[in-house]
Amino acid sequence: MVRNLVDYFNPDSNAQVSSTSIEVNVDEVKSLYGFNDSQAEAFAALFRVRPLGLLQGPPGTGKTRFIGALIHYALTKGYVRNVLLSSQSHEAVNNAAEAVLKLYPALSEAPSIIRVGQELNVSERLLPFHVARVEQLYKDKFQATLKDRLIVAARAIGIPQEVSATLILLEITVRPVIEQINALAEDTERDGAIDRIDSLMKTLDTLNVDHELEIELPSMSALPDPKLLEEVFDKAAKRSNCSLDLVARFRSVARLTRDIIGSVSTAERSFETFLAGTRQIVAGTCVGLGRSSLGLTSTVFDLVVIDEAARSTASELAVPMQAGSWVVLVGDQEQLEPRFKEEVVSTVVDETGFAANEIVKSDFERVFESPIGKEIGRRITTQYRMLPPIGRMVSNTFYNGELDSGRVVSEHSPEVFPDSLKHTLTWVYTDDLKEKGYQKSEVGKSRKSLTNPKELEVIMGMISEWDKSPEFIQWLEARNDLDYAIGVICTYGAQATALKQKLRVASVSNVMRQAIKIDTVDSYQGKENLIVILSLVRNNSDGRIVDGKPTIRSGFMKRPNRINVATSRAMDRLVIVGAKHGWAADEPMAELAKNFDAEVAAGNAVIREASDLLEGQRAAQEASAPSSKAQRDSKVRL
């Protein structure tokens, strides 16, 4: 474990990093893992420093694959013996652990791995490595070989083979029946206890006859003697002229095997602690790894890797970090920050005088910006998710233009997309609707949220329009990818809820309905879709006056991290729906709009007025339905 690791997160400390003699062959890792230059350089740099490594992975740059490669290389080259893999979310843990396993061609070659956490949060691929599954597998294997183990034990004790066969029969088959009878006899008032005892007595009688055990059983109306089990073993010993001492020793060994199977998971004898201390990879969330049953405070890991570190609170980071002698933090301080309750942040602001953005800032960001961070921190800069127009807009808005696009051509023919998706970027702006395009307050169970009815109308209209494109529907139907083709990201939870309700009752095909995922920004980090619709929701005239005009009061959309995540989930098409011109010039939405306009000028993006779109949608609806009285009358006559 690293002494005074917390000092590395204090910009005023004099903590020092040390250099290692490890020289990673850059060409080798490029070949092994398909790395680009920035990935390979960052990879080599992480192996050169101890005890802390920092990697910033912007959207689509392959940080999950990078983590898999880091762990694979460290284990296979013998630089580490064991690894603790953690993250703030279950999904990130699953993805990173699966990335490691994919690098081993055969399961037999893969390292021993254990996945900690509730089964419902574990991916299908990792379920065989879940703590409960591994524990049950141990028990099942032990139970399956129990007879053979007892034969070996009996031979070692000196019990003849023919005698041991009887003793093993009594231990495995007869003993459980008698012990169940004795347990039920302690409380015969329980419902069904007497009937259950009678049934077990009949079973015991059958065993007695079938195996000629010569057990003296009481009548069915009487309860057996509590010492019946002792008498059964004593009689078997006397009948075979076997020493009672040898039988007692055999029963002690049998009792030990039952203890291994039955009590291995008790608090006093935690199997989780054993697994955590013996597996090469232990994977779980920061919070999940904090369980005392894992015993992380007494287990030292040569390497601790924490994904989504920029989204983790200090206390979450502390849990896995305390167990490592080499800690690598992977995250992106430009994406979502740690989540704190608003009332907690407000209280801290009031009591300390610090700005709210300083309070919610992650420790990953603090250390990355510190002198140590500037020395050891690395960023991978080629993204493969977004087509260049989307990638450039995101890069110029949030990453000082430093991201390159590694995927420059779509894998899908532009012909499959409806006319309104011919451009990579589209902004359907609602400014022309004026007050009609403003947000509405919604009071939920826990707090206020916002909806925007006009944006809902626009989005549902677009979905209906796309649903009428035969080529697009055929393409959706033919896709083999199980992931959703279309993602709708809402900046407020109430908007997502309202949109889900509208989609549920909309007159669209099942193919279209099943292709759409609707969620909030907070739920979307780490996810991606081929097509993304972003509902901005917030639109008002409550902000400060600039040049005589009111601006939008942006609320938490003033935070660039959220806008970054919202706009960087799209792979091939991004449609932004909402206000475009009312944002204050010094806020991230205004910067996003400026960079969007640059793509319009380059012919890669298009701006559409919401009023025109809504009018076109209404006209299409009227054209597809009988509108005149004559048409309605003729339909009635028919």
Side-chain angles (χ1 to χ4, degrees), residues 442 451 456 460 493-507 513 518:
E442 300 285 340
T451 62
L456 291 173
M460 289 307 304
Q495 182 82 342
T497 300
L499 192 56
K500 288 176 184 177
Q501 292 172 345
K502 285 186 174 294
L503 182 62
R504 196 175 298 123
V505 299
S507 299
R513 201 186 313 275
I518 302 170

mmCIF file of all heavy atoms in Angstrom, residues 442 451 456 460 493-507 513 518:
data_model
loop_
_atom_site.group_PDB
_atom_site.id
_atom_site.type_symbol
_atom_site.label_atom_id
_atom_site.label_comp_id
_atom_site.label_asym_id
_atom_site.label_seq_id
_atom_site.Cartn_x
_atom_site.Cartn_y
_atom_site.Cartn_z
ATOM 1 N N GLU A 442 -42.234 21.330 -13.749
ATOM 2 C CA GLU A 442 -42.964 20.143 -13.327
ATOM 3 C C GLU A 442 -42.502 19.784 -11.923
ATOM 4 O O GLU A 442 -41.307 19.721 -11.645
ATOM 5 C CB GLU A 442 -42.683 18.958 -14.261
ATOM 6 C CG GLU A 442 -43.067 19.209 -15.711
ATOM 7 C CD GLU A 442 -44.574 19.154 -15.916
ATOM 8 O OE1 GLU A 442 -45.266 18.561 -15.068
ATOM 9 O OE2 GLU A 442 -45.050 19.717 -16.925
ATOM 10 N N THR A 451 -40.025 20.482 -18.301
ATOM 11 C CA THR A 451 -40.390 19.893 -19.585
ATOM 12 C C THR A 451 -40.456 21.010 -20.610
ATOM 13 O O THR A 451 -40.494 22.191 -20.267
ATOM 14 C CB THR A 451 -41.752 19.176 -19.539
ATOM 15 O OG1 THR A 451 -42.770 20.136 -19.214
ATOM 16 C CG2 THR A 451 -41.761 18.044 -18.524
ATOM 17 N N LEU A 456 -41.055 18.378 -27.266
ATOM 18 C CA LEU A 456 -41.698 17.056 -27.325
ATOM 19 C C LEU A 456 -42.429 16.879 -28.650
ATOM 20 O O LEU A 456 -42.346 15.828 -29.298
ATOM 21 C CB LEU A 456 -42.675 16.885 -26.163
ATOM 22 C CG LEU A 456 -42.088 16.759 -24.750
ATOM 23 C CD1 LEU A 456 -43.209 16.769 -23.718
ATOM 24 C CD2 LEU A 456 -41.276 15.481 -24.609
ATOM 25 N N MET A 460 -41.392 14.069 -31.450
ATOM 26 C CA MET A 460 -42.355 13.042 -31.852
ATOM 27 C C MET A 460 -42.687 13.164 -33.334
ATOM 28 O O MET A 460 -42.894 12.155 -34.024
ATOM 29 C CB MET A 460 -43.623 13.135 -31.010
ATOM 30 C CG MET A 460 -43.439 12.692 -29.556
ATOM 31 S SD MET A 460 -42.702 11.042 -29.389
ATOM 32 C CE MET A 460 -43.846 10.035 -30.338
ATOM 33 N N GLY A 493 -35.105 15.143 -16.257
ATOM 34 C CA GLY A 493 -35.788 13.865 -16.088
ATOM 35 C C GLY A 493 -37.257 13.909 -16.454
ATOM 36 O O GLY A 493 -37.795 12.951 -17.024
ATOM 37 N N ALA A 494 -37.939 15.019 -16.146
ATOM 38 C CA ALA A 494 -39.368 15.125 -16.448
ATOM 39 C C ALA A 494 -39.615 15.078 -17.956
ATOM 40 O O ALA A 494 -40.617 14.528 -18.418
ATOM 41 C CB ALA A 494 -39.948 16.404 -15.857
ATOM 42 N N GLN A 495 -38.702 15.643 -18.726
ATOM 43 C CA GLN A 495 -38.825 15.612 -20.190
ATOM 44 C C GLN A 495 -38.685 14.176 -20.699
ATOM 45 O O GLN A 495 -39.422 13.741 -21.588
ATOM 46 C CB GLN A 495 -37.754 16.507 -20.823
ATOM 47 C CG GLN A 495 -37.816 16.598 -22.339
ATOM 48 C CD GLN A 495 -38.833 17.600 -22.854
ATOM 49 O OE1 GLN A 495 -39.727 18.009 -22.118
ATOM 50 N NE2 GLN A 495 -38.713 17.985 -24.109
ATOM 51 N N ALA A 496 -37.739 13.434 -20.137
ATOM 52 C CA ALA A 496 -37.554 12.039 -20.534
ATOM 53 C C ALA A 496 -38.791 11.218 -20.209
ATOM 54 O O ALA A 496 -39.243 10.387 -21.021
ATOM 55 C CB ALA A 496 -36.329 11.451 -19.835
ATOM 56 N N THR A 497 -39.359 11.446 -19.033
ATOM 57 C CA THR A 497 -40.574 10.715 -18.635
ATOM 58 C C THR A 497 -41.731 11.028 -19.573
ATOM 59 O O THR A 497 -42.456 10.130 -20.023
ATOM 60 C CB THR A 497 -40.953 11.087 -17.188
ATOM 61 O OG1 THR A 497 -39.878 10.727 -16.322
ATOM 62 C CG2 THR A 497 -42.215 10.353 -16.757
ATOM 63 N N ALA A 498 -41.906 12.320 -19.881
ATOM 64 C CA ALA A 498 -43.000 12.727 -20.770
ATOM 65 C C ALA A 498 -42.820 12.141 -22.165
ATOM 66 O O ALA A 498 -43.790 11.706 -22.808
ATOM 67 C CB ALA A 498 -43.067 14.257 -20.840
ATOM 68 N N LEU A 499 -41.590 12.102 -22.643
ATOM 69 C CA LEU A 499 -41.335 11.584 -23.987
ATOM 70 C C LEU A 499 -41.576 10.074 -24.046
ATOM 71 O O LEU A 499 -42.119 9.557 -25.039
ATOM 72 C CB LEU A 499 -39.891 11.908 -24.389
ATOM 73 C CG LEU A 499 -39.536 11.692 -25.851
ATOM 74 C CD1 LEU A 499 -40.465 12.485 -26.775
ATOM 75 C CD2 LEU A 499 -38.086 12.101 -26.108
ATOM 76 N N LYS A 500 -41.204 9.372 -22.991
ATOM 77 C CA LYS A 500 -41.468 7.924 -22.944
ATOM 78 C C LYS A 500 -42.971 7.651 -23.007
ATOM 79 O O LYS A 500 -43.409 6.714 -23.685
ATOM 80 C CB LYS A 500 -40.874 7.324 -21.668
ATOM 81 C CG LYS A 500 -39.359 7.241 -21.667
ATOM 82 C CD LYS A 500 -38.837 6.735 -20.321
ATOM 83 C CE LYS A 500 -37.327 6.730 -20.274
ATOM 84 N NZ LYS A 500 -36.792 6.311 -18.958
ATOM 85 N N GLN A 501 -43.735 8.467 -22.295
ATOM 86 C CA GLN A 501 -45.193 8.293 -22.306
ATOM 87 C C GLN A 501 -45.764 8.550 -23.692
ATOM 88 O O GLN A 501 -46.635 7.811 -24.168
ATOM 89 C CB GLN A 501 -45.827 9.223 -21.278
ATOM 90 C CG GLN A 501 -45.509 8.848 -19.834
ATOM 91 C CD GLN A 501 -45.974 9.890 -18.830
ATOM 92 O OE1 GLN A 501 -46.295 11.022 -19.196
ATOM 93 N NE2 GLN A 501 -45.998 9.517 -17.559
ATOM 94 N N LYS A 502 -45.280 9.584 -24.355
ATOM 95 C CA LYS A 502 -45.773 9.889 -25.701
ATOM 96 C C LYS A 502 -45.399 8.797 -26.696
ATOM 97 O O LYS A 502 -46.205 8.436 -27.559
ATOM 98 C CB LYS A 502 -45.220 11.251 -26.163
ATOM 99 C CG LYS A 502 -45.898 12.442 -25.508
ATOM 100 C CD LYS A 502 -45.408 13.744 -26.106
ATOM 101 C CE LYS A 502 -46.205 14.917 -25.543
ATOM 102 N NZ LYS A 502 -47.627 14.879 -25.968
ATOM 103 N N LEU A 503 -44.193 8.274 -26.590
ATOM 104 C CA LEU A 503 -43.768 7.218 -27.496
ATOM 105 C C LEU A 503 -44.582 5.946 -27.273
ATOM 106 O O LEU A 503 -44.897 5.219 -28.211
ATOM 107 C CB LEU A 503 -42.274 6.929 -27.313
ATOM 108 C CG LEU A 503 -41.681 5.873 -28.249
ATOM 109 C CD1 LEU A 503 -41.788 6.314 -29.706
ATOM 110 C CD2 LEU A 503 -40.226 5.574 -27.879
ATOM 111 N N ARG A 504 -44.965 5.706 -26.028
ATOM 112 C CA ARG A 504 -45.713 4.496 -25.686
ATOM 113 C C ARG A 504 -47.059 4.462 -26.393
ATOM 114 O O ARG A 504 -47.546 3.394 -26.762
ATOM 115 C CB ARG A 504 -45.897 4.429 -24.165
ATOM 116 C CG ARG A 504 -46.313 3.063 -23.634
ATOM 117 C CD ARG A 504 -46.347 3.063 -22.118
ATOM 118 N NE ARG A 504 -45.036 3.329 -21.553
ATOM 119 C CZ ARG A 504 -44.758 4.322 -20.723
ATOM 120 N NH1 ARG A 504 -45.707 5.173 -20.370
ATOM 121 N NH2 ARG A 504 -43.542 4.491 -20.255
ATOM 122 N N VAL A 505 -47.680 5.623 -26.605
ATOM 123 C CA VAL A 505 -49.024 5.659 -27.203
ATOM 124 C C VAL A 505 -49.008 6.165 -28.646
ATOM 125 O O VAL A 505 -50.058 6.307 -29.262
ATOM 126 C CB VAL A 505 -49.968 6.544 -26.354
ATOM 127 C CG1 VAL A 505 -50.104 5.971 -24.949
ATOM 128 C CG2 VAL A 505 -49.456 7.992 -26.286
ATOM 129 N N ALA A 506 -47.801 6.434 -29.155
ATOM 130 C CA ALA A 506 -47.703 6.997 -30.511
ATOM 131 C C ALA A 506 -48.036 5.960 -31.573
ATOM 132 O O ALA A 506 -47.854 4.752 -31.379
ATOM 133 C CB ALA A 506 -46.301 7.543 -30.741
ATOM 134 N N SER A 507 -48.518 6.437 -32.721
ATOM 135 C CA SER A 507 -48.834 5.548 -33.847
ATOM 136 C C SER A 507 -47.578 5.354 -34.705
ATOM 137 O O SER A 507 -47.455 5.898 -35.806
ATOM 138 C CB SER A 507 -49.971 6.149 -34.694
ATOM 139 O OG SER A 507 -51.138 6.294 -33.925
ATOM 140 N N ARG A 513 -40.259 1.861 -32.515
ATOM 141 C CA ARG A 513 -40.382 1.976 -31.056
ATOM 142 C C ARG A 513 -39.237 1.239 -30.352
ATOM 143 O O ARG A 513 -38.663 1.723 -29.385
ATOM 144 C CB ARG A 513 -41.738 1.406 -30.617
ATOM 145 C CG ARG A 513 -42.204 1.919 -29.244
ATOM 146 C CD ARG A 513 -43.469 1.196 -28.812
ATOM 147 N NE ARG A 513 -44.464 1.120 -29.871
ATOM 148 C CZ ARG A 513 -45.340 2.061 -30.137
ATOM 149 N NH1 ARG A 513 -45.344 3.175 -29.421
ATOM 150 N NH2 ARG A 513 -46.219 1.909 -31.108
ATOM 151 N N ILE A 518 -34.605 6.294 -24.559
ATOM 152 C CA ILE A 518 -34.802 7.652 -24.027
ATOM 153 C C ILE A 518 -34.241 7.704 -22.610
ATOM 154 O O ILE A 518 -34.579 6.868 -21.769
ATOM 155 C CB ILE A 518 -36.301 8.018 -24.003
ATOM 156 C CG1 ILE A 518 -36.904 7.931 -25.408
ATOM 157 C CG2 ILE A 518 -36.502 9.414 -23.422
ATOM 158 C CD1 ILE A 518 -38.413 8.052 -25.431
#
